[in-house]
Amino acid sequence: MIEAIQNHRSIRKYKHDKIPPDIIEEILRAGSRASTTGNMQVYSIIVTTDHGLKEKLWEAHFKQDMVRAAPVHITFCADFNRFNNWCHLRNAEPGFNNFLSFFTAAIDALLASQNVCLEAESRGLGICYLGTATYNADKIIEILELPHGVVPVAAIVMGYPDEQPELTDRLPMDSVIHYEKYREFTRKRINAIYHEKENSSQTLELLKLNDADSLARIFTDKRYTKKDNEFFSEKFLEVIRKQGFLD
């Protein structure tokens, strides 16, 4: 498992081989053993292998080809629907129609998703995280017929790798780990933390391709613009509201 963690890489090309059902079951079982708030398990995991549904999910995920190529697509949802129904059946009045409850369920779902990814990689499978699950949550809700109280918060594709990309770089440990209290980032420290990333051959090629003067500008002006962030934030908030978490 440690080796799988240290060698994680996003896989975007997959072989056509199907994953045996018993392997999928064991991977999902690992997800179900993740930590969960109050042992409520307020999440759902939706495994999609049907070609027609995957085609629709491909559209929702901005037509990323790996959604078509991978044999398995998994959506992780914040889900208070099941828990609320159980409460009603036991004459208990649930009070989970609020943002805190959504956030709690989202944390549960993400913890489960990481367990799934780690177990899959430890078995020689490849995965790739799809951040677009929240960008087009409304479309995914329609495709997967998610009821009131259920919101997609993450998705992955999974299958046998048909590529072996280089490991992506990571910032120095000092940039993300704080001992005892938060340590503010000085200008000198920021420059030191990002020096290697900004001067890598990959970054220099990226700057050339994007005609940009800094890697930071690629993130702010190309990949995650203020306009897009605000648009998709409002869109996702509306989804959360419609699904019953901001009543």
Side-chain angles (χ1 to χ4, degrees):
M1 185 65 77
I2 296 298
E3 184 178 354
I5 293 172
Q6 296 296 339
N7 288 292
H8 164 72
R9 61 199 76 204
S10 295
I11 301 298
R12 294 177 173 82
K13 295 180 180 179
Y14 294 89
K15 297 177 181 177
H16 297 301
D17 307 44
K18 291 184 178 181
I19 305 172
D22 60 320
I23 298 297
I24 295 176
E25 182 69 21
E26 288 301 313
I27 289 170
L28 297 174
R29 192 178 302 280
S32 75
R33 296 306 305 171
S35 296
T36 168
T37 302
N39 199 25
M40 294 188 291
Q41 288 186 268
V42 282
Y43 63 88
S44 282
I45 301 173
I46 301 173
V47 182
T48 304
T49 58
D50 177 78
H51 177 75
L53 286 174
K54 281 175 57 187
E55 190 71 13
K56 292 178 180 179
L57 289 167
W58 170 74
E59 291 271 359
H61 287 294
F62 297 120
K63 299 182 178 180
Q64 297 181 78
D65 287 340
M66 55 190 164
V67 178
R68 278 176 162 172
V72 176
H73 177 284
I74 305 178
T75 308
F76 300 88
C77 302
D79 183 356
F80 258 102
N81 176 54
R82 181 191 66 248
F83 199 84
N84 285 341
N85 279 318
W86 174 62
C87 288
H88 287 306
L89 285 171
R90 299 296 182 265
N91 296 316
E93 186 58 36
F96 307 115
N97 55 337
N98 46 69
F99 180 72
L100 180 62
S101 295
F102 165 74
F103 198 59
T104 295
I107 291 171
D108 270 17
L110 293 173
L111 288 170
S113 74
Q114 185 66 0
N115 268 26
V116 165
C117 292
L118 291 174
E119 182 67 20
E121 290 181 324
S122 74
R123 292 173 176 269
L125 291 161
I127 66 97
C128 190
Y129 169 73
L130 299 166
T132 39
T134 52
Y135 282 55
N136 280 328
D138 55 336
K139 294 180 181 178
I140 293 172
I141 286 171
E142 182 179 344
I143 294 166
L144 301 179
E145 300 181 4
L146 305 182
H148 200 67
V150 184
V151 176
V153 294
I156 64 166
V157 291
M158 183 173 74
Y160 293 101
D162 198 24
E163 64 173 347
Q164 184 72 0
E166 293 293 322
L167 289 176
T168 52
D169 64 334
R170 290 292 187 264
L171 293 174
M173 293 290 288
D174 178 56
S175 65
V176 295
I177 306 299
H178 303 253
Y179 288 100
E180 311 305 342
K181 295 182 179 180
Y182 192 95
R183 181 184 170 201
E184 186 54 277
F185 294 97
T186 63
R187 180 173 183 173
K188 180 179 179 181
R189 194 167 165 224
I190 288 289
N191 287 334
I193 286 169
Y194 285 92
H195 177 76
E196 186 173 346
K197 180 184 282 287
E198 290 180 320
N199 291 280
S200 70
S201 58
Q202 184 180 21
T203 294
L204 296 177
E205 180 65 24
L206 202 58
L207 293 175
K208 184 178 179 181
L209 288 172
N210 287 274
D211 191 26
D213 58 12
S214 76
L215 181 60
R217 289 288 296 272
I218 292 176
F219 280 93
T220 61
D221 298 357
K222 304 280 187 179
R223 293 183 177 178
Y224 305 103
T225 67
K226 177 180 173 63
K227 179 181 178 181
D228 285 346
N229 287 335
E230 291 177 346
F231 173 78
F232 287 112
S233 290
E234 288 299 320
K235 186 178 179 184
F236 193 49
L237 281 171
E238 183 59 26
V239 167
I240 296 171
R241 186 175 293 109
K242 285 183 176 179
Q243 292 302 94
F245 285 103
L246 295 177
D247 289 351

